[in-house]
Amino acid sequence: MTYAVTVEPTGDVIEVEEGQTILDAALRQGVWLPFACGHGTCATCKVQVVEGDVEIGNASPFALMDVERDEGKVLACCAIPESDLVIEADVDVDPDFAGHPVEDFTATVVSIEDLSPSIKEIRLALDRPMTFQAGQYVNLNLPGVEGSRAFSIANPPSDDRHIELHVRLVPGGAGTTWLHQSLKPGDELELSGPYGQFFVRKSDAKDVIFIAGGSGLSSPQSMIVDLLEQGDTRQIYLFQGARNLSELYNRERLEALTQQHANFHYIPALNEPTAVDAWTGFIGFVHEAAKDYFDGRFNGHKAYLCGPPPMIDAAISALMQGRVFEADIHMEKFLTAADGAASETRSALFKRI
């Protein structure tokens, strides 16, 4: 049995299979609804049910309060239709968003390499090409691990038969522990994608600043390589932060790009270099490196931020103090289960931040 869900104000109609969530059906049919976490904790996908019956699903009480449930609000990532529906969503699709439908793929592990003491590169060969935008991510289904795990795609869209992932080992994390300790070349994994609203606004002519921390280099790497492959002439700046030199991965690859492209600038920063590092570059946090490089003035730039929440928050503050505001700041926070639903709060002053 399927149910027809009409999305207002766009008028899009999606067919939802029995037991399928509204969000999953929409993404697989190329209809965009706002979302972030995908598992009922962040409230980004909140919609109003205008007509019809729906099962609320496993929505967090922090993300969907009792009074909102009484008003007919649901989270699209959890809600399962029980009849035909009409919903109202805050649909504000960026004109640069391609909106590629989500599909299921089977992938074979081609290689696994240590990028740093805590991060592995996992390269997967897909059973067929995946069309995606640089900056998007995939969901992996792992044997014996409940639920799926999201990882950003590190390769550019031109390499559509492979997926490169940068996986940081999260202490106590079932998914990343399995990937680091049990996965081996030749294994097969099921995945779905592409997901996400983190992508370069190519129609905007402003020069571009990327700020990345930890395994947050994955999305910026894909986005930067894609821009350079396309012959983009804007000035492109990448600030990469790490604790010490052993954690500063893919440095040689990025330095090689600076030699090949005069408009690409790579600025690494270490906040706790060791004596054996003999580090002569910037010492401090990555947002401080950006402030130092631009003398605190960022106006006239687009900014893309990817990494752990404390890095993102510090970078946003630095950028806004330097006269870059919400419309020109785009971000992807790397949240783990340990971060908890309560940590994913939104400012009352901004729509997206």
Side-chain angles (χ1 to χ4, degrees):
M1 179 180 291
T2 62
Y3 297 109
V5 177
T6 302
V7 181
E8 299 294 356
T10 63
D12 290 314
V13 179
I14 57 177
E15 296 294 325
V16 186
E17 300 289 338
E18 188 171 2
Q20 186 180 27
T21 67
I22 296 172
L23 179 63
D24 184 64
L27 295 177
R28 290 178 181 276
Q29 294 168 55
V31 175
W32 183 80
L33 293 176
F35 77 100
C37 75
H39 48 75
T41 62
C42 75
T44 303
C45 66
K46 191 178 298 178
V47 299
Q48 176 72 50
V49 177
V50 179
E51 296 178 15
D53 299 315
V54 63
E55 167 59 44
I56 290 176
N58 191 29
S60 162
F62 298 101
L64 190 67
M65 295 181 291
D66 288 341
V67 64
E68 293 177 312
R69 298 170 191 236
D70 293 340
E71 293 171 349
K73 291 183 173 63
V74 300
L75 303 184
C77 70
C78 299
I80 298 173
E82 296 180 328
S83 72
D84 291 346
L85 298 177
V86 177
I87 63 172
E88 289 183 350
D90 184 15
V91 180
D92 183 19
V93 181
D94 192 290
D96 284 313
F97 179 55
H100 301 300
V102 170
E103 299 181 72
D104 296 316
F105 298 84
T106 299
T108 302
V109 180
V110 175
S111 62
I112 303 173
E113 296 183 13
D114 290 330
L115 296 177
S116 79
S118 62
I119 300 172
K120 288 184 182 292
E121 176 192 280
I122 300 173
R123 188 164 177 81
L124 306 171
L126 300 174
D127 58 344
R128 66 187 191 282
M130 177 190 289
T131 304
F132 65 93
Q133 282 184 273
Q136 292 191 292
Y137 67 90
V138 296
N139 279 338
L140 293 186
N141 297 316
L142 307 177
V145 178
E146 183 179 359
S148 60
R149 296 295 188 271
F151 296 98
S152 296
I153 304 170
N155 53 290
S158 58
D159 186 8
D160 60 3
R161 292 301 298 261
H162 294 91
I163 294 294
E164 177 186 327
L165 306 176
H166 301 167
V167 179
R168 180 176 69 88
L169 179 62
V170 177
T176 61
T177 297
W178 188 89
L179 288 168
H180 271 248
Q181 297 181 1
S182 300
L183 187 69
K184 60 185 183 299
D187 286 349
E188 286 191 350
L189 294 174
E190 302 299 319
L191 61 86
S192 61
Y195 296 95
Q197 286 279 296
F198 191 53
F199 56 89
V200 175
R201 276 61 179 178
K202 293 184 178 180
S203 65
D204 194 313
K206 295 186 185 74
D207 291 338
V208 185
I209 296 171
F210 292 94
I211 300 179
S215 59
L217 176 64
S218 50
S219 290
Q221 176 179 294
S222 174
M223 298 157 97
I224 289 166
V225 173
D226 181 51
L227 287 172
L228 296 175
E229 284 182 350
Q230 299 299 316
D232 198 288
T233 59
R234 284 172 290 184
Q235 297 301 305
I236 302 168
Y237 304 87
L238 170 62
F239 296 88
Q240 181 190 11
R243 179 176 292 107
N244 53 53
L245 194 58
S246 68
E247 294 287 349
L248 189 72
Y249 73 91
N250 281 2
R251 178 188 177 193
E252 293 80 6
R253 179 176 180 179
L254 295 165
E255 288 176 339
L257 287 177
T258 67
Q259 301 300 314
Q260 298 164 16
H261 303 275
N263 62 322
F264 175 57
H265 313 275
Y266 172 57
I267 305 93
L270 303 181
N271 63 289
E272 292 181 10
T274 65
V276 297
D277 289 340
W279 181 248
T280 58
F282 186 88
I283 298 176
F285 292 106
V286 66
H287 70 282
E288 296 171 334
K291 286 179 65 175
D292 178 76
Y293 188 93
F294 285 101
D295 197 24
R297 294 188 292 271
F298 301 105
N299 51 302
H301 292 83
K302 277 286 212 188
Y304 298 87
L305 320 176
C306 192
M311 186 221 81
I312 296 285
D313 294 340
I316 289 172
S317 295
L319 289 164
M320 296 191 75
Q321 290 169 10
R323 310 300 292 175
V324 172
F325 300 111
E326 186 188 14
D328 289 322
I329 300 175
H330 308 277
M331 62 181 181
E332 183 175 53
K333 287 186 179 182
F334 278 14
L335 293 166
T336 69
D339 294 307
S343 69
E344 181 66 349
T345 57
R346 291 177 179 271
S347 168
L349 297 177
F350 307 112
K351 181 178 180 182
R352 294 185 298 103
I353 294 177

